């Protein structure tokens, strides 16, 4: 990926707080046109929180997020609706409507945001189901799908509006290695076929190294490293090395300190 590619996402000094705790601490990164940016880190690192802010579900306590050059913190509801039509989201659990069959789930964004006739919407949804290898499954209910099929159906829905920017939340979570590898290959296929920019939040190392153009590693709300797969794998940052080698950072428990914390009186 060329470094001169135009950023579709620019994050500058993003700060996010829950009460008195900073969960994102002056995070800055960019996502370039046509690339796959993987955001990874351990549990509690802030990666899912970052995704919520990129989707506009929460407003920053400080800092700026620009998507397609627009400061999302200053957008009106109508402007946000227009911007979101250029974005697709594939949620971790699929988030399909259980009362609708697969075809109706995929067509839902078209019904909400376009005035297309039913036949055109049906053709568009079938095209996306073909793309994710679910041709012929549109009449099935979500309860009849396997975990991998649910993920692909959710992906078809995220793609049905032909977005320029696509977000994945833990795409490989809960999948066996073979199905996860197939999904990784599908993500690469979609990037190349649709020229879409992709942000993937994951903790799966194998998946990250396979699909990423660049990786941003978060830890305790701060960026430890952001760069190519080789740059991340060769990082000399101790916490990055521990994450990649899955080395525990748990410290030995001091018995006296443990007893003090159990017995101290809190006002």
């Amino acid at each position: 990926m060329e470094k001169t590619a135009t950023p579709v996402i620019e994050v500058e000094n993003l700060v996010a707080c829950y009460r008195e705790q900073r969960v994102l601490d002056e995070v800055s990164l960019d996502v370039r046109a046509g690339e796959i940016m993987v955001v990874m880190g351990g549990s509690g690192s802030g990666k899912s929180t970052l995704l919520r802010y990129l989707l506009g579900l929460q407003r920053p306590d400080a800092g700026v997020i620009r998507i397609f050059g627009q400061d999302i913190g200053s957008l009106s509801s109508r402007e946000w609706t227009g911007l979101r039509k250029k974005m697709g989201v594939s949620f971790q659990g699929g988030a399909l409507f259980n009362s609708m069959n697969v075809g109706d789930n995929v067509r839902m964004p078209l019904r909400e945001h376009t005035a297309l006739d039913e036949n055109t919407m049906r053709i568009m949804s079938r095209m996306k189901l073909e793309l994710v290898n679910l041709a012929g499954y549109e009449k099935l209910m979500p309860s009849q799908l396997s975990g991998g099929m649910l993920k692909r159906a959710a992906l078809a829905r995220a793609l049905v509006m032909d977005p320029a920017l696509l977000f994945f939340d833990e795409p490989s979570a809960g999948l066996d290695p073979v199905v996860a590898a197939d999904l990784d290959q599908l993500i690469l296929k979609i990037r190349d076929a649709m020229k879409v920019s992709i942000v993937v939040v994951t903790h799966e190392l194998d998946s990250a190294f396979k699909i990423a153009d660049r990786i941003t590693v978060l830890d305790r709300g701060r960026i430890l490293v952001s760069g190519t797969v080789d740059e991340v794998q060769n990082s000399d940052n101790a916490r990055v090395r521990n994450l990649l080698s899955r080395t525990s950072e748990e410290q030995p428990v001091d018995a006296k300190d443990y007893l003090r914390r159990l017995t101290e009186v809190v006002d």
Side-chain angles (χ1 to χ4, degrees), residues 36-37 39 50 52 59 123 126 136 139 164 190 200 217 245:
I36 298 177
M37 167 65 81
V39 179
L50 175 60
R52 287 197 295 273
R59 292 188 177 248
I123 291 171
R126 285 176 178 173
K139 295 298 183 183
I190 288 168
V200 179
V217 180
S245 63

Side-chain angles (χ1 to χ4, degrees), residues 47-61:
K47 58 186 186 297
S48 294
T49 299
L50 175 60
L51 180 60
R52 287 197 295 273
Y53 279 85
L54 292 178
L55 294 175
L57 301 179
Q58 293 174 261
R59 292 188 177 248
D61 292 286

Side-chain angles (χ1 to χ4, degrees), residues 42-247:
S43 178
S45 62
K47 58 186 186 297
S48 294
T49 299
L50 175 60
L51 180 60
R52 287 197 295 273
Y53 279 85
L54 292 178
L55 294 175
L57 301 179
Q58 293 174 261
R59 292 188 177 248
D61 292 286
V64 177
I65 301 173
R66 284 187 291 271
I67 298 180
F68 301 120
Q70 299 185 69
D71 179 356
I72 67 174
S74 64
L75 296 181
S76 66
S77 296
R78 176 173 292 184
E79 289 170 330
W80 240 122
T81 298
L83 184 61
R84 283 196 174 111
K85 291 178 183 180
K86 301 178 183 179
M87 301 159 54
V89 185
S90 183
F91 298 98
Q92 180 175 339
L96 298 182
F97 295 100
N98 291 327
S99 59
M100 297 180 182
N101 64 33
V102 169
D104 285 332
N105 265 285
V106 175
R107 286 188 286 275
M108 176 59 72
L110 297 174
R111 289 202 173 102
E112 290 291 319
H113 300 296
T114 75
L116 296 172
D117 62 87
E118 190 67 25
N119 190 52
T120 300
M121 288 192 290
R122 185 178 295 108
I123 291 171
M124 292 179 67
S125 65
R126 285 176 178 173
M127 289 173 63
K128 293 309 187 290
L129 287 169
E130 288 267 3
L131 182 62
V132 301
N133 303 317
L134 282 180
Y137 289 88
E138 63 179 320
K139 295 298 183 183
L140 292 185
M141 302 300 289
S143 61
Q144 296 174 295
L145 303 181
S146 67
M149 294 167 72
L150 277 170
K151 299 265 190 180
R152 284 185 279 144
L155 177 53
R157 183 178 61 185
L159 292 171
V160 76
M161 295 276 289
D162 293 323
L165 179 58
L166 183 60
F167 296 91
F168 284 91
D169 183 15
E170 298 284 2
S172 301
L175 302 180
D176 67 64
V178 174
V179 176
D182 287 343
L183 186 57
D184 289 339
Q185 202 61 44
L186 181 58
I187 292 172
L188 292 171
K189 173 185 172 182
I190 288 168
R191 189 272 310 273
D192 295 338
M194 300 184 65
K195 309 301 181 186
V196 61
S197 305
I198 299 175
V199 177
V200 179
V201 171
T202 185
H203 67 278
E204 299 286 347
L205 296 178
D206 290 342
S207 177
F209 294 151
K210 180 177 180 179
I211 66 176
D213 291 302
R214 290 190 298 146
I215 296 175
T216 294
V217 180
L218 282 174
D219 181 67
R220 302 176 187 177
R222 287 182 170 269
I223 293 179
L224 296 181
V225 63
S226 185
T228 65
V229 172
D230 285 343
E231 288 170 340
V232 171
Q233 289 179 325
N234 294 317
S235 172
D236 58 4
N237 184 290
R239 298 188 71 83
V240 174
R241 301 306 309 163
N242 287 340
L243 176 66
L244 299 187
S245 63
R246 301 184 180 183
T247 301

